[in-house]
Each structure stands twice: as structure tokens, then as C-alpha cells.
Amino acid sequence: MGVKRPQGRPDQRSLFEGVEADLRHGNPGEGGTGPGVREESQASAALEPARALTDRLMEEVCQRDNLNRAYHRVKANKGAPGIDGMAVEDLRDWIAWHKQELLSSLLDGSYRPSAVRGVSIPKPDGGERQLGIPTVVDRLVQQALLQVLTGLLDPTFSESSYGFRPGRGAHQALLKAKEYVAEGRRVVVDVDLEKFFDRVNHDILMSRLARRVDDKRLLRIVRRFLEAGLMQDGVCVERHEGTPQGGPLSPLLANLLLDDLDKELERRGHAFCRYADDCNIYVRSEAAGQRVMASVTTFLETKLKLRVNRQKSAVARVEERKFLGHRLLGDGRLGIAPKSLERVRDRIRTITRRNRGVSLERLIGELNSLLTGWVTYFRHAALKSHLTALDGWLRRKLRCVRLKQCKRVKPMVDFFVRQGVSPRSAWLTALSGKGWWRKSGTPTANQAMPSSWWDGLGLVCLVQRYEAFQAS
């Protein structure tokens, strides 16, 4: 839908005030639900309990409470503008002026989303990931659809699916994987889907949605979201497959498509964990793993038209593979994947670059924000020795930054002396001719900036934070 800038600020006592009355009297065009329509729907529900409840989903999408919840979610998520340049802060004014137009287009199925703004970001393991940023109005509509469809679809999904689902997450997937390994399934079939979100087949996905949804208006709008063009470098490219990451609906639609895989694995009696497009199947021998890999690859490529990445997929001992940034050990314990450690070290290096020219307090604030979330995520892994080493390395990086902030010999000597170092040791270190990194590892630097000094500045201690999790 085109964006029209409001010329003033109308009364906004309630963002979607009056929506329920409008729906009750059928004001917004063909999709109105007057009393007669509701009674007909109720009678249909009694005759067709499996599908009749889903032929009026757009009325649920357009309910005041659902739309208000969608608005607050979009506002909380913030995010960049789409191709129209509208910021999240402008959405409330837009709704106040275009509410009825929006509702009418949703209820009669004529709503047409704008193209998404294409953005490429680097992937942790190399390559690029394509993101699609919808306009703010499209994000509102997708969120409203998501809230209704989640209640309908999520209860039908597999218990072994953990990604992007209410009340589920990565830790539950990891703990379940631990159970499988502890039971003796020490070989993993690690299936990697090549550019999954870019290769989703629209016809197959829509057929899966139509199995559960009978509202043609909703199906039509979802299809338009899938086919919305991708605007990148000033060129709008038509899309005939894929559901770009970035929109609220994409994770749910991905789970809907891959639910076929889950059901097939359950039918075969496999022990598996799936988090979005990351699927691990646990077996007791490599021979069994090779058979499973071959059959699952055939299923994915023939039934769902997805492509398995042969280079990244593998059948191996669990210790040799990673899952959600972790490494499963042979006895069922969780460890941390080497790449996860290297990744956090790279992020620390970026924050503590000595040429950034920011204060030590700001650096510590940025590091605390990163490391608190990081150690919280990996709290179930056995990694105390790694954290001890990381703590020491991090403090040395910060000592290096603090020394470089002195710039010259005399300010460095003055700093050391203020910190209780003898003048002789201070001068010897400052005049040593060593580089900043070597000076940061000297006894003088450690005496001037011990661990307790960093504690006083508020730097998070990873080992202490980790031990607090283990004790709780």
C-alpha cells in the first residue's frame, strides 16, 4: 500500500478504537461480519469442525486487541524502514489516518504489500545472508497475521521442533539432544539446507497452509507477501521462491513447511531435534546414519523441493559437529564449539580496537552487554576453563587500551605511580621500548590494573557469572 503522510495529528485516544464496532456492522466492504454472517459461520462450524473455524480468520486478524498487540510488538522490535522510508515512530500517525482503508483491504482480501528492501549481511561462517526488510505497515499486517496463525498452527507442530515457537528455545533443544546422546546415540546426522529461506517453494508452502486454513482472503494476502518483489540497489526483482528473513511471518512459514520433515522423521521413529532449518538426527551407528542421511536427503529434495548442502551436511560422531553453537560430548555433556569461542573473541577484538578513541567506561559498557548475554546463552555448557582464559585475555586487552590512552612516557609513568607502582618500575616499563601488547602483559601493568581494579570499574567477570548460574 502506498504511504500518505498525514498533515496533522488526529485524536488518538485509542489506536484501533471502534474496530470491533466496524466489524460488527460490516462497514469495511465485502469482508464485513454482521450478525447474519456470524450465525452462518457458527452453523458451518458445527457441520465442519475441522475447517469451518478457519474460514473467517481475517475477522480475527482485524480485531482491535489483535491489531493493538501487533502494533506494540512492531514498535518494540523497532527495526529499519522499508522501501518507503517510513520509520516505526511514524506508524501510529499513519494508522490514525488510514485505519479504515487498511481494514477494508484486509477484510476484502485486496491488501497488497510493498516490495521488501533487500539487505545482505555477512554470515558467521562466511558468505552472505539475504535479508528482506518489509515496510512498517507490512510488518504490522504480518505481525497481526502471525498472532492469529500461531494459535492455529503451532499446536500441530512436532514436539521435536524448537525454533521460533512460543515457550520453546535453543536450550530446550540442546537439553533434549543431551538426552539422546546419553542414551547411546553418539552419531549425528547433521542436515544442512542450502539457502533454505531463499529456496522455499511457494506452491508447496501455500498448499501446506491451505490444508489448515480455509479463508481465501488470508491465503491470498500471504501469497502476496511471499511474492513481493525484492528491492536492492534501486532494482526491484520479482520473486518466485523463498521467504526472505526479516519479516515476522517467515519463521512460522518455515516451520510450517518443515513440519512435513518432522512428521516423516516421527513416522520412522527417529530421535531428532530441529531448530528452524538446523536439523540433527541422532543414531547409534555410522551405517545407520548414512542410511538416514540418504533417505532424508531424498525426501527433502523430492517432496519439499529443498536442496541439501552436501559440503556442510555430514554423518559423524557428536563430538565432531556443532549444534546451536555448542558441541555435544560423548558422555552427554554440553561443551562449546570452537567456532563459538573464536567468534566471541573476534567481537571483543572489534570492541577493544585501540584506534577507536572512546572512553574506557564506554568500552566496558559495550563488553558487558555482549558478554552477559553470551555467557547466559552458554550457561549449560562445561566451559569454566575457557572462561578463565577468556577473562584473563580480556583484561589484558583492556590494559593495552588503557596504556595506549596514556600516549606518551610521562603520562604512563604518572598513571602507574597513581596506581601504587614504584617509580623505578614505572619508568623501566614505560621506557622499555616494548609495544603496547607486550607492556600490557608485564608485572607492572598487572600490579597497576589487577582484576579487582577492573571489578571496581564494573567489568563483568565471566567465571563469576557462570558459577552463579551453576549454583542456581
Side-chain angles (χ1 to χ4, degrees), residues 5-6 9 12 15 71 74-82 85-96 136-137 139:
R5 297 288 182 182
R9 187 175 180 85
Q12 297 184 38
L15 188 59
Y71 166 76
V74 170
K75 184 178 178 182
N77 288 342
K78 299 181 180 179
M86 181 191 288
V88 173
E89 294 76 18
D90 300 327
L91 180 58
R92 186 178 181 90
D93 283 338
W94 188 94
I95 292 170
V136 177
V137 176
R139 296 210 291 270

Side-chain angles (χ1 to χ4, degrees), residues 30 325 343 371 387 453:
E30 298 175 13
R343 196 171 300 145
L371 297 173
L387 295 181
W453 190 71

Side-chain angles (χ1 to χ4, degrees), residues 166-226:
R168 289 172 165 261
H171 288 143
Q172 290 167 299
L174 289 163
L175 294 176
K176 192 63 180 179
K178 278 180 58 178
E179 291 182 20
Y180 291 144
V181 175
E183 291 169 359
R185 297 179 174 89
R186 295 187 172 89
V187 174
V188 61
V189 181
D190 188 353
V191 181
D192 184 272
L193 294 175
E194 184 176 321
K195 295 184 178 179
F196 168 72
F197 283 94
D198 297 334
R199 300 192 186 280
V200 169
N201 183 287
H202 291 173
D203 292 333
I204 294 176
L205 176 56
M206 290 306 301
S207 71
R208 299 319 187 254
L209 185 59
R211 289 175 183 173
R212 298 165 167 89
V213 172
D214 203 31
D215 192 322
K216 306 303 184 204
R217 299 163 298 171
L218 186 146
L219 293 172
R220 196 156 52 238
I221 291 172
V222 170
R223 181 97 193 197
R224 288 176 187 148
F225 273 117
L226 290 173

Side-chain angles (χ1 to χ4, degrees), residues 95-153:
I95 292 170
W97 284 95
H98 300 282
K99 176 174 62 178
Q100 294 304 328
E101 176 188 349
L102 175 64
L103 291 170
S104 296
S105 65
L106 291 174
L107 287 167
D108 64 19
S110 64
Y111 182 87
R112 289 190 175 277
S114 302
V116 298
R117 182 164 68 90
V119 177
S120 297
I121 62 172
K123 297 174 68 174
D125 54 352
E128 291 188 336
R129 175 177 287 114
Q130 178 70 59
L131 298 184
I133 302 176
T135 65
V136 177
V137 176
D138 285 343
R139 296 210 291 270
L140 172 72
V141 174
Q142 285 198 38
Q143 183 63 38
L145 290 168
L146 173 69
Q147 290 165 180
V148 171
L149 288 174
T150 296
L152 176 70
L153 301 177

